[in-house]
Amino acid sequence: MGIVRKTKAVKILLDLFDNGFSAISAVDLVERLKDEMNKTTVYRALDRLEDDGIVHSFVGKSGLKWYAKCKSSCTADHHNDVHPHFECKKCKKVMCLPVEVTIPNIPNHTIDNTAVFITGICDNCND
Amino acid sequence: MGIVRKTKAVKILLDLFDNGFSAISAVDLVERLKDEMNKTTVYRALDRLEDDGIVHSFVGKSGLKWYAKCKSSCTADHHNDVHPHFECKKCKKVMCLPVEVTIPNIPNHTIDNTAVFITGICDNCND
DNA sequence: TGTATTAACGCAACTAAAATGCATTAAATT
DNA sequence: AATTTAATGCATTTTAGTTGCGTTAATACA
């Protein structure tokens, strides 16, 4: 369960997440890191980082898996900080939105997890 | 563009959607209809049905593509009736929720589309 | 109602994301 | 420094979905 060893791969990944990616897809990471580590390593390291609540994942509109660093202290089974993810159809960037989305109460349903995925045009492209 | 001919495949699909599926994944449809039509046919017919605003699609938590029949009159480019989709982790069923979800205003962002995917336990399994 | 047109189909092959098995390597622990 | 085993690399596999192409069948029209 979770990260046990601070390997080179894990350090590189954490460094990438710290240096400004709001969110990045697994595919992008594999491509970007192809000279530094095997794609299997990327997938497995991301899995462990997610297990430890260091990053969270979500699927984009196309079904691709995206990763972003957690803000608050999330754990394996408890992800606080549930925020929408936004994909700009112009610059293709995906980012976490620091906004609260409230889901109306649904009778007799137990809500476990809510994922909100928004597409549109981001502030940067909206000038 | 869209459905032009009422083929056997299209009729079978529409019949399935009418007879009680709240939502069904493409994979499930391919499996369920494997004796009646080719998987390529399933994918292509679903594409056309979606183009015509007869069904809508969304990606589940695992990245699989799901389809459900549209309630209101949706067209190719305009899907009214944007509702959350709910996956029960017990019975694995996915359904459309007849609820409004309001996304808070996000400064300088143009919102194009919003997908809300909720996981939890449905009313049927919650007894 | 028969014939022509072409959308839709079936099949095989392909693509891309992600997972798996296994031998090897390198963190951590002593 | 030696030991332990988590983590890695590489090859292979799995799975969802797509594409090309020859054939079939739904529609239109004579």
Side-chain angles (χ1 to χ4, degrees):
Chain A
M1 41 260 334
I3 294 289
V4 183
R5 298 187 181 179
K6 272 214 173 145
T7 61
K8 202 179 121 197
V10 167
K11 281 180 200 153
I12 291 171
L13 278 171
L14 286 180
D15 197 55
L16 263 181
F17 279 113
D18 280 332
N19 290 339
F21 280 120
S22 188
I24 185 166
S25 70
V27 172
D28 280 355
L29 276 172
V30 166
E31 170 62 24
R32 176 181 292 261
L33 297 172
K34 68 168 175 235
D35 293 332
E36 297 171 79
M37 69 187 82
N38 192 270
K39 71 171 173 173
T40 312
T41 304
V42 175
Y43 282 111
R44 289 198 273 226
L46 287 172
D47 268 357
R48 271 176 283 134
L49 286 168
E50 185 169 29
D51 273 357
D52 271 17
I54 295 165
V55 302
H56 59 278
S57 74
F58 52 95
V59 275
K61 236 199 159 187
S62 65
L64 281 202
K65 207 164 186 188
W66 288 75
Y67 287 87
K69 209 179 183 197
C70 290
K71 294 283 187 331
S72 8
S73 55
C74 299
T75 61
D77 21 49
H78 231 59
H79 272 279
N80 328 334
D81 185 26
V82 180
H83 51 258
H85 295 107
F86 184 94
E87 176 170 3
C88 177
K89 64 178 177 183
K90 235 178 179 174
C91 66
K92 306 291 176 196
K93 277 193 192 124
V94 175
M95 54 207 98
C96 300
L97 293 180
V99 188
E100 274 288 325
V101 175
T102 28
I103 304 297
N105 209 58
I106 305 148
N108 291 325
H109 288 244
T110 310
I111 290 183
D112 215 69
N113 185 272
T114 303
V116 180
F117 198 84
I118 304 171
T119 50
I121 300 174
C122 74
D123 49 357
N124 218 328
C125 293
N126 233 345
D127 298 320
Chain B
M1 310 115 191
I3 294 289
V4 183
R5 297 185 182 180
K6 272 214 172 144
T7 61
K8 203 180 122 198
V10 168
K11 281 179 199 154
I12 291 173
L13 277 170
L14 287 179
D15 196 56
L16 263 181
F17 279 114
D18 281 332
N19 289 339
F21 280 121
S22 188
I24 186 165
S25 70
V27 171
D28 279 355
L29 277 172
V30 168
E31 169 62 22
R32 177 182 293 261
L33 298 173
K34 66 166 177 241
D35 293 332
E36 296 171 79
M37 68 187 82
N38 191 271
K39 72 169 176 175
T40 313
T41 305
V42 176
Y43 281 110
R44 287 198 274 224
L46 287 171
D47 268 357
R48 271 175 284 134
L49 286 168
E50 185 168 29
D51 274 356
D52 271 18
I54 295 165
V55 301
H56 60 277
S57 73
F58 53 95
V59 274
K61 233 200 158 185
S62 65
L64 282 202
K65 207 165 186 186
W66 288 75
Y67 287 87
K69 210 178 182 196
C70 290
K71 294 283 187 330
S72 6
S73 56
C74 299
T75 61
D77 20 50
H78 232 58
H79 271 280
N80 330 334
D81 185 25
V82 180
H83 51 258
H85 295 106
F86 184 93
E87 175 171 3
C88 177
K89 63 178 179 184
K90 234 179 179 174
C91 68
K92 306 291 177 197
K93 276 194 192 122
V94 174
M95 53 208 101
C96 301
L97 293 180
V99 189
E100 275 288 327
V101 175
T102 29
I103 303 297
N105 208 59
I106 304 149
N108 292 324
H109 289 244
T110 310
I111 290 182
D112 215 68
N113 183 273
T114 303
V116 180
F117 198 85
I118 304 172
T119 49
I121 300 173
C122 74
D123 49 356
N124 218 327
C125 292
N126 234 344
D127 297 320

PDB file of all heavy atoms in Angstrom, chain B residues 4-18:
ATOM      1  N   VAL B   4     -30.237   7.663 -40.914  1.00  0.00           N
ATOM      2  CA  VAL B   4     -30.952   7.840 -42.162  1.00  0.00           C
ATOM      3  C   VAL B   4     -31.879   6.649 -42.391  1.00  0.00           C
ATOM      4  O   VAL B   4     -33.012   6.800 -42.781  1.00  0.00           O
ATOM      5  CB  VAL B   4     -29.986   7.995 -43.347  1.00  0.00           C
ATOM      6  CG1 VAL B   4     -30.748   8.257 -44.617  1.00  0.00           C
ATOM      7  CG2 VAL B   4     -29.018   9.131 -43.069  1.00  0.00           C
ATOM      8  N   ARG B   5     -31.358   5.501 -42.092  1.00  0.00           N
ATOM      9  CA  ARG B   5     -32.150   4.285 -42.339  1.00  0.00           C
ATOM     10  C   ARG B   5     -32.501   3.565 -41.045  1.00  0.00           C
ATOM     11  O   ARG B   5     -31.676   3.430 -40.159  1.00  0.00           O
ATOM     12  CB  ARG B   5     -31.355   3.330 -43.230  1.00  0.00           C
ATOM     13  CG  ARG B   5     -31.078   3.936 -44.578  1.00  0.00           C
ATOM     14  CD  ARG B   5     -30.408   2.942 -45.487  1.00  0.00           C
ATOM     15  NE  ARG B   5     -30.125   3.582 -46.759  1.00  0.00           N
ATOM     16  CZ  ARG B   5     -29.536   2.977 -47.779  1.00  0.00           C
ATOM     17  NH1 ARG B   5     -29.176   1.722 -47.675  1.00  0.00           N
ATOM     18  NH2 ARG B   5     -29.321   3.618 -48.896  1.00  0.00           N
ATOM     19  N   LYS B   6     -33.728   3.075 -40.981  1.00  0.00           N
ATOM     20  CA  LYS B   6     -34.151   2.320 -39.807  1.00  0.00           C
ATOM     21  C   LYS B   6     -33.786   0.857 -39.990  1.00  0.00           C
ATOM     22  O   LYS B   6     -34.621   0.023 -40.326  1.00  0.00           O
ATOM     23  CB  LYS B   6     -35.652   2.470 -39.584  1.00  0.00           C
ATOM     24  CG  LYS B   6     -35.990   3.667 -38.744  1.00  0.00           C
ATOM     25  CD  LYS B   6     -37.205   3.416 -37.851  1.00  0.00           C
ATOM     26  CE  LYS B   6     -37.418   4.564 -36.883  1.00  0.00           C
ATOM     27  NZ  LYS B   6     -38.836   4.860 -36.630  1.00  0.00           N
ATOM     28  N   THR B   7     -32.529   0.564 -39.751  1.00  0.00           N
ATOM     29  CA  THR B   7     -32.048  -0.803 -39.946  1.00  0.00           C
ATOM     30  C   THR B   7     -32.432  -1.681 -38.774  1.00  0.00           C
ATOM     31  O   THR B   7     -32.869  -1.198 -37.732  1.00  0.00           O
ATOM     32  CB  THR B   7     -30.529  -0.811 -40.102  1.00  0.00           C
ATOM     33  OG1 THR B   7     -29.952  -0.297 -38.916  1.00  0.00           O
ATOM     34  CG2 THR B   7     -30.097   0.052 -41.268  1.00  0.00           C
ATOM     35  N   LYS B   8     -32.220  -2.970 -38.961  1.00  0.00           N
ATOM     36  CA  LYS B   8     -32.503  -3.948 -37.927  1.00  0.00           C
ATOM     37  C   LYS B   8     -31.722  -3.593 -36.663  1.00  0.00           C
ATOM     38  O   LYS B   8     -32.264  -3.608 -35.553  1.00  0.00           O
ATOM     39  CB  LYS B   8     -32.093  -5.333 -38.433  1.00  0.00           C
ATOM     40  CG  LYS B   8     -32.777  -6.503 -37.753  1.00  0.00           C
ATOM     41  CD  LYS B   8     -32.287  -7.823 -38.357  1.00  0.00           C
ATOM     42  CE  LYS B   8     -31.674  -8.729 -37.300  1.00  0.00           C
ATOM     43  NZ  LYS B   8     -30.823  -9.790 -37.888  1.00  0.00           N
ATOM     44  N   ALA B   9     -30.452  -3.269 -36.854  1.00  0.00           N
ATOM     45  CA  ALA B   9     -29.588  -2.951 -35.713  1.00  0.00           C
ATOM     46  C   ALA B   9     -30.119  -1.761 -34.924  1.00  0.00           C
ATOM     47  O   ALA B   9     -30.186  -1.799 -33.689  1.00  0.00           O
ATOM     48  CB  ALA B   9     -28.168  -2.672 -36.204  1.00  0.00           C
ATOM     49  N   VAL B  10     -30.501  -0.720 -35.633  1.00  0.00           N
ATOM     50  CA  VAL B  10     -31.015   0.484 -34.972  1.00  0.00           C
ATOM     51  C   VAL B  10     -32.287   0.167 -34.201  1.00  0.00           C
ATOM     52  O   VAL B  10     -32.464   0.610 -33.063  1.00  0.00           O
ATOM     53  CB  VAL B  10     -31.271   1.595 -36.009  1.00  0.00           C
ATOM     54  CG1 VAL B  10     -32.078   2.732 -35.400  1.00  0.00           C
ATOM     55  CG2 VAL B  10     -29.954   2.117 -36.554  1.00  0.00           C
ATOM     56  N   LYS B  11     -33.157  -0.637 -34.821  1.00  0.00           N
ATOM     57  CA  LYS B  11     -34.413  -1.000 -34.153  1.00  0.00           C
ATOM     58  C   LYS B  11     -34.137  -1.762 -32.856  1.00  0.00           C
ATOM     59  O   LYS B  11     -34.749  -1.500 -31.824  1.00  0.00           O
ATOM     60  CB  LYS B  11     -35.275  -1.842 -35.087  1.00  0.00           C
ATOM     61  CG  LYS B  11     -36.023  -1.013 -36.128  1.00  0.00           C
ATOM     62  CD  LYS B  11     -36.847  -1.937 -37.031  1.00  0.00           C
ATOM     63  CE  LYS B  11     -37.222  -1.242 -38.342  1.00  0.00           C
ATOM     64  NZ  LYS B  11     -37.453  -2.228 -39.422  1.00  0.00           N
ATOM     65  N   ILE B  12     -33.222  -2.723 -32.928  1.00  0.00           N
ATOM     66  CA  ILE B  12     -32.884  -3.514 -31.740  1.00  0.00           C
ATOM     67  C   ILE B  12     -32.348  -2.611 -30.630  1.00  0.00           C
ATOM     68  O   ILE B  12     -32.743  -2.732 -29.464  1.00  0.00           O
ATOM     69  CB  ILE B  12     -31.848  -4.602 -32.097  1.00  0.00           C
ATOM     70  CG1 ILE B  12     -32.480  -5.673 -32.997  1.00  0.00           C
ATOM     71  CG2 ILE B  12     -31.276  -5.238 -30.839  1.00  0.00           C
ATOM     72  CD1 ILE B  12     -31.498  -6.681 -33.538  1.00  0.00           C
ATOM     73  N   LEU B  13     -31.469  -1.705 -31.002  1.00  0.00           N
ATOM     74  CA  LEU B  13     -30.886  -0.797 -30.008  1.00  0.00           C
ATOM     75  C   LEU B  13     -31.942   0.089 -29.367  1.00  0.00           C
ATOM     76  O   LEU B  13     -32.018   0.208 -28.139  1.00  0.00           O
ATOM     77  CB  LEU B  13     -29.804   0.066 -30.669  1.00  0.00           C
ATOM     78  CG  LEU B  13     -28.427  -0.577 -30.791  1.00  0.00           C
ATOM     79  CD1 LEU B  13     -27.520   0.266 -31.665  1.00  0.00           C
ATOM     80  CD2 LEU B  13     -27.810  -0.780 -29.410  1.00  0.00           C
ATOM     81  N   LEU B  14     -32.782   0.694 -30.208  1.00  0.00           N
ATOM     82  CA  LEU B  14     -33.818   1.580 -29.681  1.00  0.00           C
ATOM     83  C   LEU B  14     -34.761   0.818 -28.764  1.00  0.00           C
ATOM     84  O   LEU B  14     -35.181   1.331 -27.727  1.00  0.00           O
ATOM     85  CB  LEU B  14     -34.592   2.226 -30.832  1.00  0.00           C
ATOM     86  CG  LEU B  14     -33.845   3.318 -31.594  1.00  0.00           C
ATOM     87  CD1 LEU B  14     -34.696   3.861 -32.727  1.00  0.00           C
ATOM     88  CD2 LEU B  14     -33.426   4.441 -30.657  1.00  0.00           C
ATOM     89  N   ASP B  15     -35.050  -0.417 -29.150  1.00  0.00           N
ATOM     90  CA  ASP B  15     -35.922  -1.256 -28.339  1.00  0.00           C
ATOM     91  C   ASP B  15     -35.312  -1.496 -26.967  1.00  0.00           C
ATOM     92  O   ASP B  15     -35.990  -1.428 -25.943  1.00  0.00           O
ATOM     93  CB  ASP B  15     -36.148  -2.580 -29.072  1.00  0.00           C
ATOM     94  CG  ASP B  15     -37.340  -3.326 -28.499  1.00  0.00           C
ATOM     95  OD1 ASP B  15     -38.432  -2.712 -28.468  1.00  0.00           O
ATOM     96  OD2 ASP B  15     -37.169  -4.484 -28.074  1.00  0.00           O
ATOM     97  N   LEU B  16     -34.007  -1.772 -26.952  1.00  0.00           N
ATOM     98  CA  LEU B  16     -33.318  -1.994 -25.682  1.00  0.00           C
ATOM     99  C   LEU B  16     -33.378  -0.750 -24.796  1.00  0.00           C
ATOM    100  O   LEU B  16     -33.640  -0.833 -23.598  1.00  0.00           O
ATOM    101  CB  LEU B  16     -31.850  -2.349 -25.948  1.00  0.00           C
ATOM    102  CG  LEU B  16     -31.490  -3.829 -25.953  1.00  0.00           C
ATOM    103  CD1 LEU B  16     -30.015  -4.001 -26.213  1.00  0.00           C
ATOM    104  CD2 LEU B  16     -31.868  -4.468 -24.632  1.00  0.00           C
ATOM    105  N   PHE B  17     -33.124   0.404 -25.405  1.00  0.00           N
ATOM    106  CA  PHE B  17     -33.140   1.639 -24.629  1.00  0.00           C
ATOM    107  C   PHE B  17     -34.532   1.940 -24.105  1.00  0.00           C
ATOM    108  O   PHE B  17     -34.699   2.503 -23.020  1.00  0.00           O
ATOM    109  CB  PHE B  17     -32.628   2.811 -25.472  1.00  0.00           C
ATOM    110  CG  PHE B  17     -31.126   2.881 -25.530  1.00  0.00           C
ATOM    111  CD1 PHE B  17     -30.453   2.664 -26.716  1.00  0.00           C
ATOM    112  CD2 PHE B  17     -30.392   3.146 -24.384  1.00  0.00           C
ATOM    113  CE1 PHE B  17     -29.069   2.716 -26.766  1.00  0.00           C
ATOM    114  CE2 PHE B  17     -29.006   3.204 -24.427  1.00  0.00           C
ATOM    115  CZ  PHE B  17     -28.350   2.992 -25.626  1.00  0.00           C
ATOM    116  N   ASP B  18     -35.549   1.573 -24.890  1.00  0.00           N
ATOM    117  CA  ASP B  18     -36.918   1.845 -24.465  1.00  0.00           C
ATOM    118  C   ASP B  18     -37.360   0.909 -23.355  1.00  0.00           C
ATOM    119  O   ASP B  18     -38.156   1.284 -22.504  1.00  0.00           O
ATOM    120  CB  ASP B  18     -37.872   1.727 -25.663  1.00  0.00           C
ATOM    121  CG  ASP B  18     -37.820   2.983 -26.517  1.00  0.00           C
ATOM    122  OD1 ASP B  18     -37.517   4.050 -25.955  1.00  0.00           O
ATOM    123  OD2 ASP B  18     -38.048   2.891 -27.731  1.00  0.00           O
TER     124      ASP B  18
END
